[in-house]
Amino acid sequence: MCFPALRLSYHYVPPHLKRCFAYCSIFPKDYAFEEEEIILLWRAEGFLQSKAKNQGKGLGNQYFQDLVSRSFFQRSSKDKSRFVMHDLMNALAQLVAGEICCRLEGEKHQKFSHRSRHSTFVSDDWNHSVKKFEAFYQMTSLRTFLPLLHQGDRFYLTSVVLEDLLPRLSYVRVLSLSGYEIYDLPDRFENLKHLRYLNFSRTRIKCLPDSLCTLYHLETLILRDCSKLKNLPSNIGNLVNLYFLDIRGAGSIKRMPSGFDQLTKLQTLSNFVIGEGDGHLIRELKNLSNLRGNFCLFGLENVKGQDAREAKLNEKLGIDGLELQWGTDLENSTRKEEVEERALDFLRAQKKLEQLIIENYGGVKFSSWIADSSFKNLSSLKLRNCKNCKSLPSVGRLPLLKDLSIIGFDQVQKIGVEFFGENKLNPFASLEILSFENLPNWKEWDTCEGEEKVLKLPSLRELSIKTCPQLLGRLPTHLPSLQKLKIHSCTSLVVSISSFPSLCKFSIRGCTELVDDCSSPTEEVSSFQTLSLSNISKFNIPADRTMLRFGNSEHLEIDGWEELVSLSQHGFSLVGHRFITVWRCPQLQSLEAEEAELQPDKISRVESLKIASCDRLNRLPQVLHELTFLTVMEIQGCRGLVSFAENNLPPNLKKLRITNCENLEYLVDEKEDNKSMSSTLCLLEDLEIFECPSLMSLSSKGHKNICNQLQRLKFFGCSKLSCLFSNTKFPIMLKHLRIEICPELEYIAQEFEETACLESIKIFQCGIKSLPRGLDKLIHLQEICLFSCSNLVSFEESGLLSTSFRVFKVGGCGKFGALPKCMASITSLRQLSVSNCSADISFPSEGFPSTLTSLEISNAPNIYRSLVEWGLNGLTSLQELTIAGGGCSNVVSFPEEGIGMILPPSLTLIFLSEFENLEFMFSEGFQDLVAFREFVIINCPKLKSLPEKDMLLSLGRLLICRCPLLKEECSSDKGREWSKISHIPSVKIDAKIVIPRESD
């Protein structure tokens, strides 16, 4: 129920806004939508009626902004381009909409009213089966069918929806199948005469059925990211009411059909692709006078000048973003420079254009209109891969240009006065972002700085120059507003930072020299927030100047300095920065001078220190112990290190990760009396040591304070590690212990403490024989996973507590012969897995707890036989069942027919494998599985049949592998089992996708 004040304010909302607002109740409260998305839906449902022509967009914007101003919609905190409804607003919308709008969410199989008109379908499940859509069959007058799927995931749809359900929805106006793995569409759209909105985005369709062109009322067609779609329908000209067509990301479309000249109501056309020999089709754009927003022309290498003139782009006043693309093959002999130059001349845009992109243009020079100062609104210009152009247009004359990108100009050797614009006193007055990239022959940048009356680039905030290997000289010396400078792979360039007073982010990778010629007083020298220096041939800045310029940057990254021996040789220090990364410096021996100490006037701010691929680094500086803010360290690929620290770790270090240090023997090498060390409290909480084959122990003498605050401990690939806590008790603060591929590890600790906080134990491929005593003392323990521990025999008889324990998995432990006797009493247990252990391992006499949700029994015939006799249906909460039947040679049916075995109704997943004599499925055993979603059958060579179709209606995924007889029976053209599986959304047999079927 909504607050009275909210309902009162709603009372004063105009009726047309109430209708739009109520419609949005079909969206979940956490759904973030775009403004354009909602407006297109409103338009399709007839909420934007206007007597004036082509006012839908304007009315929609007005309605939407009215609702935003009344706080009915608000911007998403995660994505400012999207909007959400507050929980209370969502509840109010549902209250107002009543039965007219409805949502099907998750596993709620609710029954909708026959009065329902607008519906969404929300599900996190990837496979949408027949059962999920049963509710829609009663909504005979449905107008909106809108599944809402998470982008980035793949979703599979039962063919029943396409072939049976949709043709019944004859009143539907909004239809979306966006995000489904659909390859082919049935040619049955002639029944959907009222359809106005159709969304196939992110599907895998190859073609659109001809019947789609009978949809006279269709206004919106969205085919975005349909990467396999090759053609639009040849009769697209029949869709005379089409208003919105989006084919962005449909890269397989190589040409447009004729007939676009009849789509005179079209306002949004994302792309127009001109195929080889179809250059004349660009003339059809002449009649599309209502185009607006962003528009892209592809395949312009096929267009001649006169055809381009007839497109009349300069008369399309609604286009504010224009992209002109020629083909990537500039070496093609059929392409003529003069033809492309003439075409570009006639593709002049309207003067209110805001964004322009020109890509793969083959002409030698640009048209004069591109740099025409009459383009007073142009704020973004990107010129890409125009490899034949020898000079740049005079874009400095564009008064409001803010973002300029020049990429892939092979012939440009000099940039000078023509770039800024001759006789222009204030070029690039508004430019804020300037990028040059991949200009392989660019040698000179004449910035014309000798002309004192000319102020160039006064507003520039970001300058990026990448992969310009022949660029000589220096950068512009006066950029008063520059904040970010990025120079990468310019191996001939001298970079000076002398006159950049506002610079705060600085990244240099691969330049010939770095200098600082600033003559300003030291108090005027600014410092950086972010500094990244990599592969600099010559660092020509005095050490004292380095400290002034770089000494207090928040982020310091040094990478790929072949000759760098120590940081101090160039004036760098560990002091003053917050985040430091040093990597790929093969000669680096030390970070600080041998006897370096913190000076009283120096402030230690370092929080994070990462060092990687510095082979000669053989010690870490003592000054680390004075860095009181240091909490995170990462050491990787430093083969010279034998120990991480002497005696003590840094005082406040909380997280430490050491990887691939092949000679590391100890974390701490104790060289002093333990008594002096025990007084130093170690705050380390998270420790990871990976691929350190020489590691023998955490400390050389068993220092007891190393792990007293440790909460997470991980080891991987430490082949000499034999014990962890040999001389000390198990760390009582440790919550998560994970050890992998440490074959010599036989001993973890002698005993667990009653006060221990341990929550999970995961051990893989280690030599342990048993876990420490006192498992029953671990009141917080939730999970034990033990895999491929060939020496592991069993647990102590003390057993496990039943208060928190949820997961127990043991596998590949050939000597493990008995489950804990208290298994049935562990009522908190949810997941149990026993696989490939001792052949004699047996079923606990008291059975398994009924609370199990996941059970895996692999190659344990004694357990399987006892479990069947005990009764699987006693596991009333079981959702996932995995059984590998190695050794179960007498099993002919599943579930076993002879004893009338019934599966638990709660099951959603069944995974069967290795049943050598299994022949058929006992259908009656499946009859109560209302939530059965996934069925996997592997290596059952004699299996011929599946359960009856009625038992599989809720199934979303079927996987069959190495079952030759069943494979033959499931063949779509002759198999007897095909009728049982044809409705399943996703079927794969022997790694081949059978459903959804992809036509040849």
Side-chain angles (χ1 to χ4, degrees), residues 136-156:
F136 289 97
Y137 279 89
Q138 59 188 297
M139 294 187 283
T140 55
S141 299
L142 192 68
R143 290 187 174 186
T144 301
F145 182 86
L146 193 64
L148 302 176
L149 311 179
H150 295 292
Q151 291 194 21
D153 292 334
R154 290 186 174 184
F155 293 87
Y156 295 86

mmCIF file of all heavy atoms in Angstrom, residues 136-156:
data_model
loop_
_atom_site.group_PDB
_atom_site.id
_atom_site.type_symbol
_atom_site.label_atom_id
_atom_site.label_comp_id
_atom_site.label_asym_id
_atom_site.label_seq_id
_atom_site.Cartn_x
_atom_site.Cartn_y
_atom_site.Cartn_z
ATOM 1 N N PHE A 136 0.531 -17.624 -20.406
ATOM 2 C CA PHE A 136 0.205 -16.691 -21.488
ATOM 3 C C PHE A 136 -0.919 -17.200 -22.391
ATOM 4 O O PHE A 136 -1.499 -16.425 -23.146
ATOM 5 C CB PHE A 136 1.462 -16.411 -22.327
ATOM 6 C CG PHE A 136 2.485 -15.563 -21.622
ATOM 7 C CD1 PHE A 136 3.552 -16.147 -20.980
ATOM 8 C CD2 PHE A 136 2.363 -14.185 -21.587
ATOM 9 C CE1 PHE A 136 4.494 -15.382 -20.322
ATOM 10 C CE2 PHE A 136 3.291 -13.408 -20.939
ATOM 11 C CZ PHE A 136 4.361 -14.009 -20.301
ATOM 12 N N TYR A 137 -1.218 -18.482 -22.337
ATOM 13 C CA TYR A 137 -2.256 -19.025 -23.210
ATOM 14 C C TYR A 137 -3.643 -18.516 -22.836
ATOM 15 O O TYR A 137 -4.553 -18.526 -23.662
ATOM 16 C CB TYR A 137 -2.217 -20.554 -23.177
ATOM 17 C CG TYR A 137 -1.159 -21.131 -24.079
ATOM 18 C CD1 TYR A 137 0.137 -21.344 -23.628
ATOM 19 C CD2 TYR A 137 -1.455 -21.465 -25.393
ATOM 20 C CE1 TYR A 137 1.119 -21.874 -24.449
ATOM 21 C CE2 TYR A 137 -0.484 -22.005 -26.232
ATOM 22 C CZ TYR A 137 0.799 -22.194 -25.754
ATOM 23 O OH TYR A 137 1.754 -22.719 -26.585
ATOM 24 N N GLN A 138 -3.820 -18.078 -21.585
ATOM 25 C CA GLN A 138 -5.139 -17.578 -21.184
ATOM 26 C C GLN A 138 -5.310 -16.089 -21.488
ATOM 27 O O GLN A 138 -6.406 -15.559 -21.381
ATOM 28 C CB GLN A 138 -5.338 -17.828 -19.687
ATOM 29 C CG GLN A 138 -4.293 -17.153 -18.800
ATOM 30 C CD GLN A 138 -4.409 -17.565 -17.362
ATOM 31 O OE1 GLN A 138 -5.436 -17.301 -16.744
ATOM 32 N NE2 GLN A 138 -3.391 -18.208 -16.825
ATOM 33 N N MET A 139 -4.216 -15.411 -21.880
ATOM 34 C CA MET A 139 -4.289 -13.972 -22.155
ATOM 35 C C MET A 139 -4.519 -13.771 -23.647
ATOM 36 O O MET A 139 -3.627 -13.373 -24.392
ATOM 37 C CB MET A 139 -3.011 -13.280 -21.685
ATOM 38 C CG MET A 139 -2.852 -13.314 -20.164
ATOM 39 S SD MET A 139 -1.452 -12.344 -19.562
ATOM 40 C CE MET A 139 -0.094 -13.427 -19.951
ATOM 41 N N THR A 140 -5.717 -14.002 -24.084
ATOM 42 C CA THR A 140 -6.035 -13.999 -25.516
ATOM 43 C C THR A 140 -6.006 -12.610 -26.138
ATOM 44 O O THR A 140 -5.917 -12.488 -27.351
ATOM 45 C CB THR A 140 -7.424 -14.626 -25.739
ATOM 46 O OG1 THR A 140 -8.389 -13.922 -24.938
ATOM 47 C CG2 THR A 140 -7.416 -16.093 -25.337
ATOM 48 N N SER A 141 -6.081 -11.567 -25.294
ATOM 49 C CA SER A 141 -6.082 -10.201 -25.830
ATOM 50 C C SER A 141 -4.802 -9.453 -25.473
ATOM 51 O O SER A 141 -4.777 -8.223 -25.400
ATOM 52 C CB SER A 141 -7.291 -9.426 -25.278
ATOM 53 O OG SER A 141 -8.504 -10.037 -25.668
ATOM 54 N N LEU A 142 -3.726 -10.178 -25.262
ATOM 55 C CA LEU A 142 -2.469 -9.574 -24.846
ATOM 56 C C LEU A 142 -1.944 -8.622 -25.918
ATOM 57 O O LEU A 142 -1.945 -8.942 -27.101
ATOM 58 C CB LEU A 142 -1.432 -10.679 -24.586
ATOM 59 C CG LEU A 142 -0.151 -10.248 -23.874
ATOM 60 C CD1 LEU A 142 -0.450 -9.864 -22.432
ATOM 61 C CD2 LEU A 142 0.884 -11.371 -23.914
ATOM 62 N N ARG A 143 -1.465 -7.449 -25.462
ATOM 63 C CA ARG A 143 -0.909 -6.453 -26.385
ATOM 64 C C ARG A 143 0.607 -6.316 -26.257
ATOM 65 O O ARG A 143 1.260 -5.900 -27.210
ATOM 66 C CB ARG A 143 -1.557 -5.089 -26.145
ATOM 67 C CG ARG A 143 -3.011 -5.032 -26.569
ATOM 68 C CD ARG A 143 -3.519 -3.618 -26.469
ATOM 69 N NE ARG A 143 -4.868 -3.475 -27.004
ATOM 70 C CZ ARG A 143 -5.497 -2.316 -27.135
ATOM 71 N NH1 ARG A 143 -4.913 -1.207 -26.741
ATOM 72 N NH2 ARG A 143 -6.711 -2.267 -27.627
ATOM 73 N N THR A 144 1.145 -6.602 -25.076
ATOM 74 C CA THR A 144 2.585 -6.477 -24.854
ATOM 75 C C THR A 144 3.146 -7.808 -24.391
ATOM 76 O O THR A 144 2.727 -8.339 -23.360
ATOM 77 C CB THR A 144 2.898 -5.401 -23.791
ATOM 78 O OG1 THR A 144 2.384 -4.143 -24.207
ATOM 79 C CG2 THR A 144 4.404 -5.285 -23.572
ATOM 80 N N PHE A 145 4.110 -8.354 -25.152
ATOM 81 C CA PHE A 145 4.826 -9.573 -24.781
ATOM 82 C C PHE A 145 6.307 -9.210 -24.768
ATOM 83 O O PHE A 145 6.947 -9.082 -25.810
ATOM 84 C CB PHE A 145 4.544 -10.683 -25.793
ATOM 85 C CG PHE A 145 5.204 -11.987 -25.451
ATOM 86 C CD1 PHE A 145 4.581 -12.888 -24.601
ATOM 87 C CD2 PHE A 145 6.439 -12.319 -25.986
ATOM 88 C CE1 PHE A 145 5.185 -14.103 -24.295
ATOM 89 C CE2 PHE A 145 7.043 -13.527 -25.677
ATOM 90 C CZ PHE A 145 6.410 -14.418 -24.830
ATOM 91 N N LEU A 146 6.855 -9.034 -23.556
ATOM 92 C CA LEU A 146 8.161 -8.392 -23.437
ATOM 93 C C LEU A 146 9.053 -9.131 -22.433
ATOM 94 O O LEU A 146 9.095 -8.780 -21.254
ATOM 95 C CB LEU A 146 7.972 -6.935 -22.989
ATOM 96 C CG LEU A 146 9.158 -5.985 -23.081
ATOM 97 C CD1 LEU A 146 9.573 -5.783 -24.533
ATOM 98 C CD2 LEU A 146 8.794 -4.636 -22.460
ATOM 99 N N PRO A 147 9.784 -10.163 -22.856
ATOM 100 C CA PRO A 147 10.767 -10.779 -21.953
ATOM 101 C C PRO A 147 11.900 -9.800 -21.646
ATOM 102 O O PRO A 147 12.365 -9.064 -22.532
ATOM 103 C CB PRO A 147 11.295 -11.964 -22.766
ATOM 104 C CG PRO A 147 10.257 -12.209 -23.813
ATOM 105 C CD PRO A 147 9.688 -10.871 -24.133
ATOM 106 N N LEU A 148 12.329 -9.766 -20.397
ATOM 107 C CA LEU A 148 13.420 -8.893 -19.960
ATOM 108 C C LEU A 148 14.577 -9.776 -19.519
ATOM 109 O O LEU A 148 14.538 -10.387 -18.459
ATOM 110 C CB LEU A 148 12.956 -7.989 -18.811
ATOM 111 C CG LEU A 148 11.754 -7.087 -19.112
ATOM 112 C CD1 LEU A 148 11.334 -6.329 -17.866
ATOM 113 C CD2 LEU A 148 12.065 -6.129 -20.247
ATOM 114 N N LEU A 149 15.619 -9.846 -20.351
ATOM 115 C CA LEU A 149 16.740 -10.748 -20.109
ATOM 116 C C LEU A 149 18.008 -9.943 -19.848
ATOM 117 O O LEU A 149 18.190 -8.860 -20.388
ATOM 118 C CB LEU A 149 16.953 -11.664 -21.313
ATOM 119 C CG LEU A 149 15.713 -12.370 -21.863
ATOM 120 C CD1 LEU A 149 16.074 -13.214 -23.075
ATOM 121 C CD2 LEU A 149 15.067 -13.236 -20.791
ATOM 122 N N HIS A 150 18.882 -10.496 -19.036
ATOM 123 C CA HIS A 150 20.147 -9.832 -18.728
ATOM 124 C C HIS A 150 21.053 -9.850 -19.954
ATOM 125 O O HIS A 150 21.302 -10.904 -20.540
ATOM 126 C CB HIS A 150 20.851 -10.523 -17.567
ATOM 127 C CG HIS A 150 20.110 -10.426 -16.266
ATOM 128 N ND1 HIS A 150 19.962 -9.227 -15.593
ATOM 129 C CD2 HIS A 150 19.480 -11.349 -15.521
ATOM 130 C CE1 HIS A 150 19.277 -9.432 -14.484
ATOM 131 N NE2 HIS A 150 18.960 -10.716 -14.422
ATOM 132 N N GLN A 151 21.585 -8.697 -20.322
ATOM 133 C CA GLN A 151 22.490 -8.636 -21.458
ATOM 134 C C GLN A 151 23.793 -9.340 -21.121
ATOM 135 O O GLN A 151 24.272 -9.308 -20.001
ATOM 136 C CB GLN A 151 22.764 -7.181 -21.838
ATOM 137 C CG GLN A 151 21.568 -6.486 -22.434
ATOM 138 C CD GLN A 151 21.928 -5.183 -23.106
ATOM 139 O OE1 GLN A 151 23.084 -4.958 -23.468
ATOM 140 N NE2 GLN A 151 20.952 -4.308 -23.270
ATOM 141 N N GLY A 152 24.372 -9.979 -22.128
ATOM 142 C CA GLY A 152 25.624 -10.685 -21.943
ATOM 143 C C GLY A 152 25.452 -12.176 -21.743
ATOM 144 O O GLY A 152 26.384 -12.950 -21.971
ATOM 145 N N ASP A 153 24.273 -12.603 -21.290
ATOM 146 C CA ASP A 153 24.012 -14.037 -21.111
ATOM 147 C C ASP A 153 23.282 -14.595 -22.331
ATOM 148 O O ASP A 153 22.682 -13.851 -23.104
ATOM 149 C CB ASP A 153 23.170 -14.278 -19.855
ATOM 150 C CG ASP A 153 23.941 -13.964 -18.588
ATOM 151 O OD1 ASP A 153 25.173 -14.054 -18.619
ATOM 152 O OD2 ASP A 153 23.308 -13.614 -17.578
ATOM 153 N N ARG A 154 23.321 -15.924 -22.472
ATOM 154 C CA ARG A 154 22.595 -16.591 -23.553
ATOM 155 C C ARG A 154 21.352 -17.251 -22.979
ATOM 156 O O ARG A 154 21.416 -17.951 -21.976
ATOM 157 C CB ARG A 154 23.483 -17.650 -24.215
ATOM 158 C CG ARG A 154 24.640 -17.070 -25.028
ATOM 159 C CD ARG A 154 25.371 -18.179 -25.763
ATOM 160 N NE ARG A 154 26.395 -17.640 -26.657
ATOM 161 C CZ ARG A 154 27.129 -18.387 -27.483
ATOM 162 N NH1 ARG A 154 26.936 -19.690 -27.523
ATOM 163 N NH2 ARG A 154 28.036 -17.837 -28.253
ATOM 164 N N PHE A 155 20.248 -17.028 -23.637
ATOM 165 C CA PHE A 155 18.976 -17.599 -23.195
ATOM 166 C C PHE A 155 18.384 -18.425 -24.340
ATOM 167 O O PHE A 155 18.480 -18.045 -25.510
ATOM 168 C CB PHE A 155 18.003 -16.491 -22.788
ATOM 169 C CG PHE A 155 18.440 -15.741 -21.556
ATOM 170 C CD1 PHE A 155 19.292 -14.656 -21.646
ATOM 171 C CD2 PHE A 155 18.000 -16.132 -20.297
ATOM 172 C CE1 PHE A 155 19.701 -13.975 -20.519
ATOM 173 C CE2 PHE A 155 18.396 -15.449 -19.162
ATOM 174 C CZ PHE A 155 19.247 -14.372 -19.270
ATOM 175 N N TYR A 156 17.780 -19.557 -23.957
ATOM 176 C CA TYR A 156 17.214 -20.473 -24.943
ATOM 177 C C TYR A 156 15.707 -20.562 -24.764
ATOM 178 O O TYR A 156 15.203 -20.654 -23.643
ATOM 179 C CB TYR A 156 17.855 -21.861 -24.789
ATOM 180 C CG TYR A 156 19.332 -21.860 -25.098
ATOM 181 C CD1 TYR A 156 20.267 -21.547 -24.114
ATOM 182 C CD2 TYR A 156 19.799 -22.151 -26.374
ATOM 183 C CE1 TYR A 156 21.623 -21.529 -24.386
ATOM 184 C CE2 TYR A 156 21.151 -22.147 -26.658
ATOM 185 C CZ TYR A 156 22.060 -21.827 -25.665
ATOM 186 O OH TYR A 156 23.403 -21.811 -25.943
#
